[in-house]
Amino acid sequence: MPQTLSQEEAEEFCNICVYYNDRIAPLQTLAIDLTTKLYGKSTYRGLSAEQVLTGLFFFYDDWKSEPIIKIKDGDVALALGIDGKYASILDYVDNQGYKLEKLLQSNDTSTRKNAELANEKFQLVRMLCMGTLLKIYPYADNGDKATWYSMAEPLPESMPDDEQLFVHKGMALVAEAAINGDDVALRGLITAIGEYQRSRATSMPREARLDAERLYNSLGYNRPLAMFCLTLGILCFILFINTRNFESKAAKYACTTLHVILWFLLAYLSLHIALRYYVSGHIPLSNGYETMQFMSWLSVVLTIIMARRFRMALPFGLLLAGFTLLVAMLGEASPRITQLMPVLQSPLLSIHVMVIMLSYTLLAFIMLNGITALILRLVRHDADQEIEYLYVTSRIMLYPAVMLLAVGIFIGAIWANVSWGRYWGWDPKEVWALVT
């Protein structure tokens, strides 16, 4: 196991704030993003993301041979000379120089793109080890808004000499204390950096906001939750297809249990979305991850509303929640909470996405109704009444679904005109909206 700080020390170090992705965040957020970017997961061999970051930074010689960089492309793996899917920092260079140089200059677009992705990971480690990635020292020149510097950057001439010495040498002292195992000195230096940040930054986030982000980070991936919802949804779908009497004790017990699970799921998703909104400062409907998570939340809400009159909504809701959470995680395994460009801060965009997602959720229920009717027709010959009920339910949901889709596209066109100066541009997304 490579050397690193203890879990407690690594967490304490990563409580320091850093200027990352155009905002001030706990260093923990950068650690999670970095570890996931490199390894594909937020942990490495049982070590937390905070331990990975501090290990790479303070104990580079111990980590440079660790296969922590995930390589997805076979040509890149061949160029690096590795057998599996993971490369170490040392695998990137040999006596001939940087191994990816030829691939980065390839005329083949796919090859060059894959090489650039692998190169980006190497450069991130390099930036971390040099210290340029850690912009943890704020300084306001002549009363302006504070600029955040790393220990390796040129500092403004107006900064006092003692502060310049602290910025350039402070982290070296932290590294020395970490290597020597001097816990008292390490904690003292970490505290000193935190105090310096609070005294020099002109717009530090409130401690409650930083705590909310740490809580958000601790919630981790939704992947296990997605797999749980999918598995339970499939099992319940099979059970409900073969259930003729929903008034039996077993059926009522199963429905009650599913209702409890759905309420817990709704509470978790609501907390997740609320924390993301509080931390980011904008309605979390700006990218694929956020819209899929919102659609999952909508699926659960509609399931709870419809389940009393429509029993099949229970497995349908779990399946939709699972699928949308899985798509969210595939689209962005480690979502970044960043400040939005002004064009994405319009309330019209949030309304557009909410209305469209509600429409998509209803249409997804209709699709599952159709699939269920086909399966019932194949496996049971006495299901005419149930199929008719599914048909009527789909007709009822279809009216608001189509209306919301039309309204959502209309609002989207207005937002496009406000933001881009045109209602319609005939790009593929708009064309398929029109086809719909």
Side-chain angles (χ1 to χ4, degrees):
M1 187 71 70
Q3 190 175 1
T4 186
L5 298 182
S6 68
Q7 178 64 37
E8 294 77 17
E9 291 172 336
E11 286 181 0
E12 189 171 348
F13 179 77
C14 288
N15 280 336
I16 295 173
C17 289
V18 62
Y19 192 74
Y20 170 57
N21 274 342
D22 297 324
R23 68 187 187 90
I24 303 168
L27 190 54
Q28 179 196 53
T29 301
L30 172 58
I32 292 171
D33 281 356
L34 177 71
T35 305
T36 308
K37 181 81 172 179
L38 296 178
Y39 191 60
K41 300 177 182 178
S42 60
T43 58
Y44 172 72
R45 294 178 60 186
L47 298 174
S48 67
E50 296 94 328
Q51 288 178 296
V52 171
L53 183 142
T54 53
L56 283 167
F57 186 60
F58 295 127
F59 307 98
Y60 172 75
D61 288 338
D62 223 36
W63 280 76
K64 61 185 180 182
S65 58
E66 284 293 314
I68 193 172
I69 301 176
K70 188 173 184 178
I71 304 298
K72 297 180 180 180
D73 182 67
D75 290 337
V76 174
L78 185 63
L80 295 177
I82 59 174
D83 294 328
K85 295 182 179 180
Y86 297 93
S88 68
I89 301 164
L90 292 178
D91 289 325
Y92 276 78
V93 293
D94 59 12
N95 295 332
Q96 306 300 317
Y98 192 54
K99 294 182 180 180
L100 295 182
E101 195 66 42
K102 290 184 179 179
L103 293 183
L104 289 170
Q105 298 174 1
S106 173
N107 293 325
D108 184 77
T109 304
S110 177
T111 300
R112 188 172 63 253
K113 183 178 179 181
N114 289 325
E116 287 171 352
L117 290 173
N119 176 63
E120 181 188 7
K121 297 179 181 182
F122 176 80
Q123 296 303 330
L124 281 172
V125 175
R126 184 169 171 269
M127 289 171 65
L128 172 64
C129 296
M130 291 175 63
T132 56
L133 195 62
L134 303 180
K135 294 181 179 291
I136 60 176
Y137 299 103
Y139 181 73
D141 194 1
N142 298 323
D144 295 334
K145 183 180 178 181
T147 301
W148 289 66
Y149 297 92
S150 70
M151 60 184 235
E153 287 180 293
L155 301 174
E157 294 182 0
S158 61
M159 181 182 284
D161 291 341
D162 58 338
E163 287 191 32
Q164 291 200 30
L165 185 64
F166 177 72
V167 172
H168 285 310
K169 302 295 184 182
M171 198 54 68
L173 294 174
V174 175
E176 183 180 350
I179 292 170
N180 294 333
D182 190 343
D183 297 346
V184 176
L186 180 65
R187 287 189 168 88
L189 289 164
I190 292 172
T191 301
I193 294 173
E195 291 175 352
Y196 176 84
Q197 289 181 336
R198 287 187 288 273
S199 67
R200 293 295 182 269
T202 53
S203 57
M204 281 288 286
R206 289 179 298 175
E207 194 60 36
R209 194 165 187 170
L210 295 173
D211 288 339
E213 185 160 353
R214 294 183 188 108
L215 175 59
Y216 177 89
N217 290 335
S218 69
L219 294 178
Y221 282 145
N222 285 332
R223 194 183 302 273
L225 182 63
M227 299 311 298
F228 170 78
C229 290
L230 283 173
T231 304
L232 185 60
I234 291 170
L235 291 175
C236 291
F237 180 78
I238 295 171
L239 175 65
F240 280 32
I241 282 287
N242 292 286
T243 299
R244 291 172 173 80
N245 180 18
F246 281 99
E247 299 303 320
S248 64
K249 287 186 178 179
K252 287 182 177 179
Y253 177 77
C255 290
T256 302
T257 303
L258 289 177
H259 271 96
V260 172
I261 292 172
L262 284 168
W263 278 106
F264 274 110
L265 181 59
L266 179 63
Y268 173 83
L269 291 174
S270 298
L271 174 63
H272 212 271
I273 292 171
L275 285 173
R276 193 173 178 91
Y277 172 70
Y278 181 56
V279 169
S280 65
H282 63 82
I283 298 174
L285 291 171
S286 60
N287 57 38
Y289 173 86
E290 292 172 348
T291 53
M292 284 296 100
Q293 190 171 60
F294 180 70
M295 186 171 176
S296 179
W297 183 86
L298 276 177
S299 301
V300 176
V301 171
L302 289 176
T303 300
I304 292 172
I305 292 172
M306 295 190 298
R308 288 189 177 182
R309 300 290 299 273
F310 179 43
R311 300 288 189 184
M312 289 302 295
L314 291 169
F316 289 175
L318 288 168
L319 286 170
L320 283 179
F323 276 124
T324 48
L325 285 174
L326 191 61
V327 171
M329 298 318 300
L330 292 174
E332 189 177 350
S334 180
R336 293 180 179 179
I337 310 170
T338 60
Q339 293 295 330
L340 293 177
M341 63 180 77
V343 73
L344 295 180
Q345 293 178 349
S346 169
L348 283 172
L349 175 62
S350 299
I351 297 170
H352 161 69
V353 174
M354 287 183 195
V355 174
I356 289 288
M357 285 300 106
L358 183 54
S359 170
Y360 287 171
T361 305
L362 288 170
L363 289 169
F365 273 103
I366 294 168
M367 176 200 70
L368 291 172
N369 268 2
I371 293 173
T372 304
L374 290 172
I375 294 173
L376 281 172
R377 179 69 68 190
L378 290 172
V379 301
R380 286 173 53 188
H381 300 293
D382 60 344
D384 289 350
Q385 187 175 353
E386 294 173 47
I387 293 172
E388 179 69 20
Y389 187 75
L390 290 171
Y391 166 70
V392 172
T393 305
S394 291
R395 293 273 315 257
I396 292 171
M397 288 190 287
L398 188 60
Y399 290 105
V402 174
M403 182 199 70
L404 289 167
L405 187 61
V407 170
I409 293 170
F410 182 77
I411 296 171
I414 297 172
W415 167 73
N417 185 56
V418 172
S419 302
W420 312 111
R422 60 173 175 80
Y423 290 99
W424 204 266
W426 295 102
D427 64 43
K429 184 178 179 64
E430 290 172 340
V431 170
W432 276 109
L434 179 61
V435 170
T436 305

